[in-house]
């Protein structure tokens, strides 16, 4: 019972591994295509026993009927009665019955549901078929202790082992060349295939031969495509396993006699192969031991002629041995060990006793001799290399000494003369600093060469100790180098002292140049600024501005004594530098200041110019003060009169608007008031002329601003003209209102009502109404306005489309609306009443409603009416009415 449980667990683990592998493998479209073809052929190989087949496993298994039939055929059992309906739930029920049967057989279905099979999911359908194949075609395969996939693979390996070029290691690439399929067939039915004529380089022919023979003679349908198997680098493992399992089942029932004969042939062949391997081992072992014994004395020899050429020749011979003589023997040793291991394995697998070579040629004997050879070889190589290194080192050290000595002597040539030169005495500070930097660089270079000198001494000492043939000459040259090196060190220290002493002197001068530059530059800039300010042209417009300039100038004059003292201090620096130059007899170049281009003559010249400009500035500022005082007098005269006229013009403008809209008196009274106002304006005209004179005087004096008044001449002039124009226009409007009143017969109350309504909605007192305000007036008077009606009225009161309604237009409209005036529209409406709401009128209707002469007048001038359904002699009264008011031609 425990054994069966362990086998079930093993099968369950294998199935789980297959499912995990399947979920990634089916992602390859080529594998899916290969599996679909193979699984379809496998299913049909069983379904044909029931007299049916499937064309497309995705479609034909969707209703579950053929799936249940397939399970009954391969299991030999009956499943429950299937559902015969065609609805989706019938199909799902059938597929579920098949899946439950598979589950009852101990097969765990992973992520496969009936809905996915019914929906034709290719991946899930292939997974289900593979599960069936595993359970009913592969799971029961057992070879020795292996089962399922491992058992099938072991069976294939056993059957194909005797065949050349066949090495079955898996269920994908091992079958690509077709030889494995042909070997299986030939092993069991040799009369069907001539295996010796097959070629490994013609896989397509091999596969086609195997597939055709299997289908024709073994009743195994062709489940794989030969071309596809060749082209795919990694054929689908499941498809190959399915097809190979058919071979297993086809050959499983072979006769016992054939099995017995094969067993005898196999046993004899094993013995023959084993004897051949034994003979080969003894030959290889004897030859190899003889070669080792011949080579060891040569490798243990340690004599040399103590020359580089001799040692080099021995090394070349050894390398020839390593490259050309030893490798073939190493291969022989590998073949020997491989043959021994293969022989022992074959003997063990065939239940034969182990092979025991005679004493002296055991594998261990050969290995011990080989190890001794390699030890001798290693010691010989180390000795040769050591000798070569020793001789090479002596030669190398001598060449190295001469090379380094030559470089050192070339570097030191002329260095002492350079260090004793007194070129620093005529240098500037910058040049001296450059010499010092150069000397510091030389000191760094000198320190760096210290290592080379030490190396030279060390090499000379080593050559001396190793008794080089030229060691005395090398030692003398080394002593000369050391002596010269000591002299260089002393000269270097002396030159450093001289350079540092001269640097202190020149730095003192340099510091004074820098101080001069720091003080001279701002002082020079100050004088430049002062001259610029003193010569600057100024423009002022008020007395305050000119007084501010005079105050600033007075403050500047107070700074002049301190400036003179600073000037004298700056010039004293140059005097000190001159004194140091003469004391140390330095070149004239030390007087050149690298930090500044300013000199004493330039500073003295600018100072003199500043002193000359100060009184000139005083005189120009006083003259400008007198000029600004005169400008203020002109501003005052203009401001007094402008401040009087400006408010008067503003008040009178508002007064005119009040008089014009006054409702208490008659329109004639308003006209008289406005004309009286015109006479008062004439009295103010001389003041405007006087103001114009003041304005002209200010312009001639270039006075364009006046802080004493907010009024400008332009502002007052425009206000005066506006006032005159307003008075004249207002008189004209009131007079027109009088004419309209008299012509329309309006009463005083009506006129006042219109004026009051207009004035009420003219909130900003602009003298006109905007469209929204005009609409509000009409609504307040009881008009019911639609959009079209309002636009019609606007076209009457604002024919120019300005977007405004003047009081005059408003009065005209209101008088038209409130007086009985005939219009073309009213006449049309009257004719329509007479015609009984028809669009035409007949002569009889005109004679019945109008006096005879009026009826004849209309008949003679009305045009015929051409509308639909019009009777004979129908007349067009609409065009006649329009013509009466000049809107069209009669």
């Amino acid at each position: 019972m425990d054994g069966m449980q362990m086998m079930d667990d093993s099968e369950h683990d294998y199935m789980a591994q297959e499912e995990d592998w399947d979920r990634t493998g089916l992602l390859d479209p080529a594998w899916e295509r290969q599996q679909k073809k193979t699984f379809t052929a496998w299913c049909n190989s069983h379904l044909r026993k029931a007299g049916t087949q499937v064309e497309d496993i995705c479609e034909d298994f969707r209703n579950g009927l053929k799936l249940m039939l397939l399970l009954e055929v391969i299991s030999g059992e009956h499943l429950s009665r299937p559902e015969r309906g065609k609805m989706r739930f019938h199909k799902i029920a059938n597929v579920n019955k098949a899946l439950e049967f598979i589950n009852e057989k101990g097969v765990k279905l992973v992520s496969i549901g009936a809905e996915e099979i019914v929906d034709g999911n290719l991946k899930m359908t292939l997974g289900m078929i593979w599960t069936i194949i595993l359970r009913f075609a592969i799971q029961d395969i057992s070879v020795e202790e292996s089962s399922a996939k491992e058992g099938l693979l072991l069976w294939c390996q056993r059957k194909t082992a005797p065949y050349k070029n066949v090495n079955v290691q898996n269920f994908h690439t091992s079958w690509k060349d077709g030889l494995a399929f042909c070997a299986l067939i030939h092993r069991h039915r040799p009369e069907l295939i001539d295996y010796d004529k097959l070629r490994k380089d013609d896989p397509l022919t091999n596969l086609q031969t195997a597939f055709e023979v299997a289908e024709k003679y073994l009743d195994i349908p062709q489940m794989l495509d030969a071309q596809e198997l060749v082209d795919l680098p990694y054929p689908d493992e499941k498809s190959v396993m399915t097809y190979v399992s058919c071979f297993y089942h086809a050959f499983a029932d072979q006769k016992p006699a054939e099995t017995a004969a094969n067993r005898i042939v196999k046993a004899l062949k094993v013995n023959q192969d084993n004897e051949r391997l034994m003979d080969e081992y003894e030959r290889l072992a004897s030859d190899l031991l003889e070669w080792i014994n011949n080579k060891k004395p040569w490798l243990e020899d340690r004599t040399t002629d103590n020359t580089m050429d001799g040692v080099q020749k021995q090394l070349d011979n050894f390398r020839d041995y390593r490259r050309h003589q030893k490798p073939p023997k190493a291969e022989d040793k590998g073949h020997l060990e491989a043959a021994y291991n293969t022989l022992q394995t074959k003997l063990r697998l065939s239940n034969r006793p182990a092979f025991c070579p005679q004493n002296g040629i055991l594998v261990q004997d050969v290995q011990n001799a080989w190890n001794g050879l390699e030890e001798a070889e290693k010691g010989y190589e180390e000795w040769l290399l050591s000798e070569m290194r020793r001789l090479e080192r002596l030669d190398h050290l001598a060449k190295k000494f001469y090379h380094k000595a030559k470089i050192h002597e070339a570097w030191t040539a002329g260095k002492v003369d350079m260090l004793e030169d007194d070129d620093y005495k005529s240098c500037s500070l910058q040049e001296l600093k450059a010499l010092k930097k150069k000397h510091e660089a030389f000191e760094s270079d000198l320190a760096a060469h210290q290592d080379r000198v030490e190396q030279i001494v060390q090499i000379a000492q080593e050559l001396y100790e190793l008794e080089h043939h030229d060691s005395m000459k090398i030692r003398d040259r080394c002593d000369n180098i050391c002596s010269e090196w000591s002299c260089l060190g002393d000269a270097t220290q002396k030159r450093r002292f001289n350079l540092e002493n001269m640097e202190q002197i020149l730095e003192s001068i340099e510091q004074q140049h820098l101080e001069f530059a720091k003080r001279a530059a701002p002082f020079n800039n100050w004088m430049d600024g002062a001259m610029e300010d003193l010569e600057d042209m100024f423009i002022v417009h008020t007395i305050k501005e000119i007084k501010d300039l005079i105050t600033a100038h007075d403050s500047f004059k107070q700074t002049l004594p301190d400036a003179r003292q600073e000037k004298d201090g700056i010039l004293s620096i140059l005097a000190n530098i001159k004194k140091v130059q003469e004391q140390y007899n330095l070149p004239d170049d030390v007087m050149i200041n690298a930090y500044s281009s300013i000199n004493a003559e330039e500073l003295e010249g600018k100072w003199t110019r500043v002193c000359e400009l100060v009184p000139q500035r005083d005189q120009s500022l006083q003259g400008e003060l007198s000029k600004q005082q005169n400008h203020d007098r002109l501003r005052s005269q203009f401001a007094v009169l402008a401040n009087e006229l400006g408010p008067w013009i503003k008040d009178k403008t508002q007064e005119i608007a009040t008089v014009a809209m006054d409702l208490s008196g008659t329109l004639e009274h308003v006209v008289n008031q406005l004309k009286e106002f015109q006479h008062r304006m004439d009295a103010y005209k001389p003041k405007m002329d006087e103001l114009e004179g003041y304005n002209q005087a200010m312009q001639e004096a270039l006075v364009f601003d006046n802080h004493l008044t907010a009024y400008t001449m332009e502002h007052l002039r425009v206000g005066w003209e506006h006032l005159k124009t307003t008075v004249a226009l207002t008189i004209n409007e009131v007079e027109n209102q009088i004419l309209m009143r008299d012509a329309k017969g309006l009463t005083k109350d009506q006129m006042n009502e219109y004026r009051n309504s207009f004035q009420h909605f003219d909130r900003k007192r602009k003298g006109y109404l905007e469209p929204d305000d005009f609409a509000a007036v009409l609504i307040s008077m009881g008009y019911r306005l639609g959009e079209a009606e309002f636009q019609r009225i606007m076209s009457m009161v604002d024919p120019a489309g300005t977007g405004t309604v003047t009081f005059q237009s408003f009065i005209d409209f209101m008088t038209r609306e409130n007086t009985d005036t005939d219009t073309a529209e009213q006449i049309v409406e009257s004719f329509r009443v007479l015609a009984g709401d028809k669009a035409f009128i007949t002569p009889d209707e005109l004679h019945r409603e109008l006096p005879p002469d009026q009826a004849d007048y209309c008949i003679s001038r009305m045009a015929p009416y051409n509308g639909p359904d019009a009777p004979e002699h129908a007349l067009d009264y609409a065009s006649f009415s329009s013509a009466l008011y000049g809107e069209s031609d009669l």
Side-chain angles (χ1 to χ4, degrees):
M1 186 66 179
D2 293 340
M4 290 297 293
Q5 181 65 36
M6 291 177 63
M7 182 175 293
D8 290 343
D9 293 343
S10 175
E11 290 300 323
H12 179 270
D13 293 342
Y14 170 66
M15 295 287 286
Q17 293 172 3
E18 287 297 324
E19 289 298 334
D20 292 340
W21 180 83
D22 176 63
R23 281 192 288 271
T24 58
L26 282 179
L27 294 177
D28 190 332
W31 285 11
E32 280 191 357
R33 185 170 61 253
Q34 197 174 41
Q35 283 187 19
K36 184 176 181 182
K37 178 178 180 179
T38 303
F39 292 178
T40 301
W42 184 86
C43 292
N44 286 334
S45 69
H46 294 283
L47 287 174
R48 67 186 178 183
K49 300 174 184 177
T52 187
Q53 65 177 6
V54 293
E55 297 296 334
D56 186 337
I57 57 176
C58 286
E59 293 296 327
D60 295 345
F61 284 160
R62 290 178 65 180
N63 60 10
L65 296 177
K66 289 189 178 182
L67 178 59
M68 295 177 67
L69 180 59
L70 173 65
L71 291 172
E72 288 182 347
V73 172
I74 61 179
S75 67
E77 302 178 19
H78 290 287
L79 277 70
S80 61
R81 184 178 183 83
E83 300 288 341
R84 291 298 177 179
K86 296 183 178 181
M87 302 298 288
R88 176 178 173 83
F89 71 86
H90 292 128
K91 299 177 181 179
I92 292 176
N94 290 335
V95 174
N96 272 327
K97 290 178 181 180
L99 297 181
E100 289 171 2
F101 178 78
I102 296 172
N103 192 51
E104 289 172 0
K105 295 301 179 180
V107 179
K108 181 180 179 182
L109 296 173
V110 180
S111 303
I112 300 177
E115 291 80 0
E116 294 169 317
I117 305 302
V118 173
D119 291 338
N121 186 312
L122 176 60
K123 179 178 178 179
M124 295 304 170
T125 302
L126 292 175
M128 178 190 68
I129 299 301
W130 174 241
T131 302
I132 294 172
I133 293 171
L134 280 175
R135 174 59 184 84
F136 295 102
I138 298 177
Q139 181 176 324
D140 295 335
I141 295 174
S142 177
V143 178
E144 294 184 359
E145 297 181 357
S146 300
S147 60
K149 177 181 177 180
E150 290 77 7
L152 183 60
L153 182 63
L154 181 58
W155 179 78
C156 294
Q157 291 171 342
R158 291 279 183 84
K159 294 299 181 181
T160 60
Y163 292 88
K164 64 179 180 179
N165 296 328
V166 178
N167 183 19
V168 178
Q169 298 296 327
N170 51 53
F171 285 108
H172 36 82
T173 55
S174 296
W175 304 84
K176 282 174 60 67
D177 59 8
L179 292 178
F181 290 113
C182 293
L184 283 178
I185 296 173
H186 185 267
R187 180 63 182 270
H188 297 90
R189 297 288 299 277
E191 75 279 4
L192 299 180
I193 291 179
D194 188 352
Y195 186 84
D196 293 335
K197 291 184 178 181
L198 300 177
R199 302 200 327 266
K200 186 174 180 64
D201 59 356
D202 190 7
L204 187 61
T205 300
N206 300 339
L207 290 168
Q208 290 173 346
T209 300
F211 295 166
E212 291 171 0
V213 169
E215 185 172 25
K216 184 175 180 181
Y217 297 103
L218 304 178
D219 198 27
I220 299 175
Q222 187 169 338
M223 300 181 185
L224 300 175
D225 183 89
Q227 187 64 53
E228 191 175 62
L229 202 63
V230 171
D231 294 339
L232 283 176
Y234 192 88
D236 178 52
E237 186 177 44
K238 295 179 180 180
S239 301
V240 177
M241 283 180 65
T242 302
Y243 189 49
V244 172
S245 68
C246 294
F247 284 89
Y248 174 85
H249 292 293
F251 295 135
D253 299 329
Q254 199 172 44
K255 296 178 180 180
E258 180 182 351
T259 303
N262 289 337
R263 182 176 292 111
I264 293 172
V265 171
K266 181 179 179 181
L268 294 176
K269 189 174 186 309
V270 167
N271 267 17
Q272 292 171 345
D273 291 341
N274 291 342
E275 289 174 0
R276 179 181 55 79
L277 290 175
M278 292 176 189
D279 293 338
E280 182 180 1
Y281 172 82
E282 291 178 353
R283 179 183 59 80
L284 287 175
S286 298
D287 293 346
L288 188 58
L289 287 171
E290 182 180 359
W291 180 82
I292 292 173
N293 293 330
N294 291 334
K295 288 296 178 182
K296 280 190 68 175
W298 171 64
L299 294 174
E300 292 172 349
D301 185 14
R302 296 293 185 270
T303 60
T304 180
D305 60 0
N306 205 28
T307 64
M308 281 291 295
D309 292 340
V311 174
Q312 184 63 48
K313 184 176 180 180
Q314 286 180 287
L315 185 60
D316 292 341
N317 292 335
F318 177 73
R319 288 172 178 169
D320 178 73
Y321 156 79
R322 290 285 294 272
R323 294 174 184 173
H324 301 100
Q325 299 178 34
K326 184 181 177 183
K329 297 303 177 180
E331 291 180 7
D332 290 344
K333 178 176 176 292
H335 293 328
L336 177 70
E337 293 171 351
Y340 181 80
N341 293 333
T342 302
L343 176 59
Q344 297 292 21
T345 301
K346 288 186 174 184
L347 291 172
R348 184 173 62 255
L349 293 175
S350 59
N351 293 323
R352 298 321 193 258
F355 171 60
C356 295
Q358 60 184 349
N359 289 335
I361 59 171
L362 295 172
V363 172
Q364 189 60 43
D365 294 333
V366 175
Q367 185 61 48
N368 292 337
W370 187 266
N371 292 341
L373 177 70
E374 289 191 335
E375 285 294 327
E377 178 184 312
K378 180 180 179 182
Y380 186 67
E381 182 180 25
E382 291 175 352
W383 172 74
L384 282 176
L385 294 177
S386 175
E387 283 295 302
M388 182 66 73
R389 283 194 295 269
R390 184 181 68 83
L391 296 174
E392 282 180 343
R393 179 166 179 75
L394 283 177
D395 187 57
H396 172 71
L397 285 176
K399 292 179 179 178
K400 188 175 183 180
F401 174 84
Y402 288 120
H403 178 67
K404 288 184 175 293
K406 182 179 179 181
I407 293 175
H408 176 77
E409 289 166 351
W411 180 82
T412 58
K415 292 294 190 295
V416 174
D417 294 338
M418 178 195 72
L419 294 172
E420 293 176 351
D421 191 3
D422 58 356
D423 51 349
Y424 60 88
K425 294 182 178 179
S426 59
C427 289
S428 64
L429 179 60
Q430 295 303 321
E431 292 171 340
L432 185 68
K433 287 182 178 293
L435 284 179
K436 187 178 178 184
K437 291 292 183 183
K438 182 178 179 181
H439 186 71
E440 290 173 354
F442 173 78
E443 287 179 326
S444 299
D445 197 12
L446 188 70
H449 279 74
Q450 177 68 33
D451 290 340
R452 180 182 290 122
V453 174
E454 292 175 356
Q455 291 174 6
I456 290 172
V457 173
Q458 183 179 357
I459 294 171
Q461 183 64 27
E462 188 171 357
L463 288 171
Y464 180 78
E465 291 174 355
L466 294 175
E467 298 181 353
H468 188 269
H469 67 279
D470 208 13
S471 60
M472 295 306 297
K473 181 180 178 181
I474 290 174
R475 189 167 187 176
D476 291 342
R477 190 169 180 179
C478 179
D479 292 341
N480 292 334
I481 289 173
C482 292
S483 176
E484 185 182 27
W485 185 254
S486 178
C487 294
L488 277 175
D490 294 340
T492 299
Q493 294 296 327
K494 182 178 180 181
R495 184 170 178 83
R496 166 174 281 279
F497 174 79
N498 292 334
L499 290 174
E500 289 176 349
N501 185 49
M502 182 57 67
E503 183 182 24
Q504 292 177 357
I505 297 172
L506 294 180
E507 279 184 344
S508 174
I509 296 175
E510 185 77 7
Q511 192 62 34
Q512 293 183 69
H513 277 309
L514 182 60
E515 182 182 358
F516 174 84
K518 289 180 179 179
R519 294 176 63 181
F523 185 72
N524 185 62
N525 291 336
W526 177 84
M527 289 193 295
D528 288 339
M531 289 188 293
E532 182 179 354
D533 293 341
L534 292 171
E535 294 174 338
D536 187 24
M537 299 295 294
F538 53 83
I539 299 177
V540 295
H541 301 93
T542 64
I543 293 178
K544 181 179 181 305
E545 291 178 357
I546 189 60
K547 285 184 177 180
D548 289 343
L549 288 177
I550 292 173
T551 301
H553 184 63
D554 291 340
S555 298
F556 170 75
K557 289 191 292 185
Q558 293 176 3
T559 65
L560 290 178
D562 292 338
R564 181 184 296 276
Q565 184 177 358
E566 176 65 12
K567 187 256 307 181
D568 293 340
I570 292 171
L571 294 178
S572 68
I573 294 174
L574 294 178
N576 289 336
I577 295 174
K578 185 65 177 176
K579 182 178 179 181
V580 172
Q581 178 204 11
E582 294 173 351
Q583 179 180 354
Y584 292 100
N585 195 22
L586 298 176
D588 293 338
D589 291 344
V590 299
M591 294 301 298
I592 298 175
N593 193 334
Y595 302 105
S596 175
S597 60
I598 302 171
N599 53 47
E601 292 77 10
E602 183 180 357
L603 290 177
E604 285 289 1
K606 289 184 178 180
W607 176 255
T608 302
R609 179 58 181 163
V610 168
C611 293
E612 292 173 352
L613 289 174
V614 170
Q616 296 176 12
R617 185 71 170 184
D618 284 333
Q619 184 178 358
S620 61
L621 290 173
Q622 290 301 322
E624 183 63 29
L625 177 61
S626 299
K627 180 179 177 181
Q628 289 300 323
Q629 288 172 344
N630 180 54
H631 289 176
D632 266 13
R633 181 181 57 79
L634 292 174
R635 291 190 183 94
S636 178
Q637 291 173 343
F638 179 87
V640 170
L641 193 54
N643 290 337
E644 177 186 352
L645 282 175
W648 184 84
I649 292 173
K650 181 179 180 181
D651 293 341
K652 295 308 175 184
T653 301
Q654 295 175 351
E655 184 179 341
I656 291 171
T658 303
V659 170
M661 301 304 295
D662 186 12
L663 304 180
S664 59
T666 64
L667 294 177
E668 287 81 359
H669 178 68
V670 172
V671 171
N672 291 333
Q673 283 184 308
L674 293 172
K675 289 183 178 179
E676 177 63 24
F677 186 79
Q678 278 184 322
H679 293 305
R680 290 202 301 272
M681 282 186 65
D682 293 339
Y684 268 87
K685 186 67 171 62
K687 291 187 177 181
M688 281 294 296
D689 296 339
E690 182 181 358
L691 197 61
E692 287 283 2
Y694 291 153
N695 182 65
Q696 181 177 354
M698 289 176 63
Q699 289 181 343
E700 290 174 353
L702 302 178
V703 178
F704 301 107
D705 63 320
N706 193 340
H707 62 281
L708 300 177
T709 180
Y711 297 100
T712 64
M713 192 64 229
E714 183 65 24
H715 178 264
L716 294 172
R717 192 182 294 119
V718 171
W720 178 265
E721 294 298 329
H722 178 262
L723 181 60
K724 286 176 59 179
T725 303
T726 301
V727 172
L729 290 175
T730 305
I731 292 173
N732 180 259
E733 288 180 2
V734 176
E735 289 176 343
N736 288 335
Q737 293 174 22
I738 293 173
L739 293 174
M740 185 180 297
R741 180 198 64 190
D742 296 340
K744 303 296 182 178
L746 297 175
T747 66
K748 175 182 177 183
D749 291 338
Q750 288 176 317
M751 198 68 180
N752 286 342
E753 180 185 358
Y754 297 153
R755 294 175 67 184
N756 189 34
S757 296
F758 185 90
Q759 184 177 5
H760 174 74
F761 286 95
D762 183 17
R763 299 178 180 86
K764 297 181 181 179
R765 299 295 183 263
K766 296 182 291 187
Y768 61 84
L769 298 177
E770 295 180 351
D772 292 341
D773 296 331
F774 179 57
V777 173
L778 295 178
I779 293 171
S780 70
M781 290 183 171
Y783 282 82
R784 299 181 65 183
L785 296 177
E787 181 65 25
E789 177 65 13
F790 182 69
Q791 293 300 326
R792 183 187 69 79
I793 295 174
M794 282 299 296
S795 65
M796 296 169 58
V797 299
D798 183 23
T802 62
T804 61
V805 180
T806 63
F807 182 71
Q808 186 67 37
S809 299
F810 175 72
I811 293 296
D812 289 344
F813 171 75
M814 295 306 301
T815 53
R816 280 200 306 272
E817 291 293 309
N818 290 279
T819 56
D820 189 14
T821 303
D822 294 334
T823 64
E825 289 80 6
Q826 292 173 335
I827 297 301
V828 169
E829 289 299 322
S830 299
F831 274 116
R832 182 175 287 110
V833 172
L834 297 181
D837 285 335
K838 299 192 298 295
F840 58 87
I841 193 167
T842 64
D844 292 340
E845 289 173 336
L846 290 172
H847 280 112
R848 185 174 61 248
E849 301 294 341
L850 296 179
D853 57 340
Q854 299 295 333
D856 292 339
Y857 179 83
C858 293
I859 293 170
S860 64
R861 284 168 172 76
M862 283 187 182
Y865 181 76
N866 298 321
D869 301 328
E872 188 178 2
H873 305 303
L875 300 175
D876 185 357
Y877 60 79
S879 61
F880 173 77
S881 300
S882 299
L884 286 178
Y885 289 90
E887 297 179 8
S888 65
D889 296 333
L890 282 174

